[in-house]
Amino acid sequence: MLKFVLTKIGMAALVALTVSFISFILLFMAGDPAIAIAGEGASGEVIAAIRSQYGFDRPLLVQYVDWLMRALSGDFGMSYYFKAPVSGMIAERLPVTMTIGFLGMSFALLLAIPMGVLAAAFPNTLIDRLALGIAVVGQAIPSFWFGLILIVVFSVNLGWVPASGTRQWTGYVLPMIVLGYYATPAIMRLTRAGMLEVLSADYIRTARAKGIKPRRVLFKHALRNAIIPVVSLAAVQLGFMFGGSVVVETIFALHGAGYLAWESISRNDLPTMQALILIFAMFYIAFTFLADVLNAWLDPRLRTA
């Protein structure tokens, strides 16, 4: 088990290093950062002075190593547009993104797991088809379109919840639904598949033959074993949610890390973009690592390795 964990840590570090390097190179290839700082109408002398001041005239690999060393200590530099430390801005915005992410995952689990259990308990029935239909719709609808529909219906027409803002807890309701519904199809299908496999096992038939109540067989014996891969998938989906919050936060004007990413992209703020790409990637890597470790811990063959 220890060898497995150490191997996964090494792979996670390598993936994070690769992501940081590729994103750094691609962002610099997208445009001259000196022009972004000086403005489109700046003279050549001003652009050259800025390029020398910020070290953009150095080899790209040297710039990357310098940025990486500072990033490892938590220093992502100064924002070109906001003129503030990037680390401070991200620390201020990140709680909103994390709140939406965890609320969205909670909503997805509360919706997907009961649907998957019911679909497996009544296979090839109207309940099963309805659950699969909801999953298909959730996978087919773009998040931005779904968010706009919810705003029109529940904010504009009905006035039940605000369309944006986080001053009240109700401001998180619509973003939670949009982000959570995105993860619902995968979790529901995996729950259904796992339940169908478990319900056909010998020990389930034995439990039924002993006269145990169907509800107890379904939830205590079957769901307990079928839920294991769902927990791992939920961890991976949570990593996706933090990256997908860019669209959701932009639609609902929530000033989290995702909205900060949109602002930095639209204003060509390279230090902020580099930091956010690395942080979003680290979230995904961390949750994937936790999912792998959880699977290994639950697998007796790997637990003793």
Side-chain angles (χ1 to χ4, degrees), residues 22-270:
I22 293 177
S23 63
F24 187 89
I25 298 298
L26 291 178
L27 287 175
F28 269 82
M29 290 176 60
D32 190 342
I35 297 177
I37 298 174
E40 293 292 341
S43 63
E45 292 78 7
V46 173
I47 295 175
I50 292 176
R51 188 176 289 115
S52 176
Q53 177 185 354
Y54 285 88
F56 296 145
D57 53 351
R58 297 177 298 168
L60 198 57
L61 184 59
V62 175
Q63 295 184 53
Y64 168 72
V65 173
D66 179 59
W67 173 82
L68 182 62
M69 293 298 102
R70 288 187 287 107
L72 291 175
S73 64
D75 180 15
F76 292 104
M78 295 287 292
S79 168
Y80 296 161
Y81 180 81
F82 295 99
K83 308 299 180 184
V86 175
S87 302
M89 291 193 303
I90 294 177
E92 182 182 356
R93 303 280 194 103
L94 201 56
V96 175
T97 299
M98 296 183 69
T99 300
I100 298 172
F102 285 113
L103 287 176
M105 178 51 63
S106 300
F107 175 81
L109 292 174
L110 290 175
L111 179 63
I113 292 178
M115 285 172 51
V117 172
L118 289 175
F122 303 98
N124 301 320
T125 63
L126 180 61
I127 296 176
D128 187 16
R129 293 188 179 91
L130 180 61
L132 291 175
I134 294 174
V136 170
V137 171
Q139 196 169 24
I141 294 180
S143 297
F144 70 90
W145 186 83
F146 186 43
L148 294 175
I149 293 298
L150 291 182
I151 290 174
V152 171
V153 175
F154 294 102
S155 297
V156 177
N157 294 336
L158 298 178
W160 289 354
V161 290
S164 62
T166 57
R167 295 182 179 180
Q168 300 177 350
W169 67 268
T170 51
Y172 288 102
V173 173
L174 296 185
M176 174 190 70
I177 294 174
V178 173
L179 203 57
Y181 197 36
Y182 169 78
T184 296
I187 297 175
M188 194 283 295
R189 287 198 302 267
L190 185 61
T191 302
R192 179 183 181 273
M195 287 292 295
L196 287 174
E197 182 179 356
V198 172
L199 288 173
S200 62
D202 293 336
Y203 73 91
I204 295 295
R205 286 194 291 267
T206 302
R208 287 171 173 169
K210 290 181 178 180
I212 300 177
K213 294 181 179 180
R215 182 179 299 179
R216 186 176 181 184
V217 172
L218 190 65
F219 290 100
K220 185 176 180 180
H221 297 278
L223 183 59
R224 179 182 296 180
N225 293 284
I227 204 70
I228 294 174
V230 175
V231 175
S232 301
L233 176 63
V236 177
Q237 288 289 332
L238 186 57
F240 275 119
M241 282 186 173
F242 285 120
S245 65
V246 177
V247 176
V248 175
E249 291 179 19
T250 303
I251 294 173
F252 293 98
L254 300 175
H255 290 270
Y259 191 79
L260 180 61
W262 177 82
E263 290 179 307
S264 62
I265 292 171
S266 61
R267 287 149 182 167
N268 203 20
D269 191 353
L270 293 182

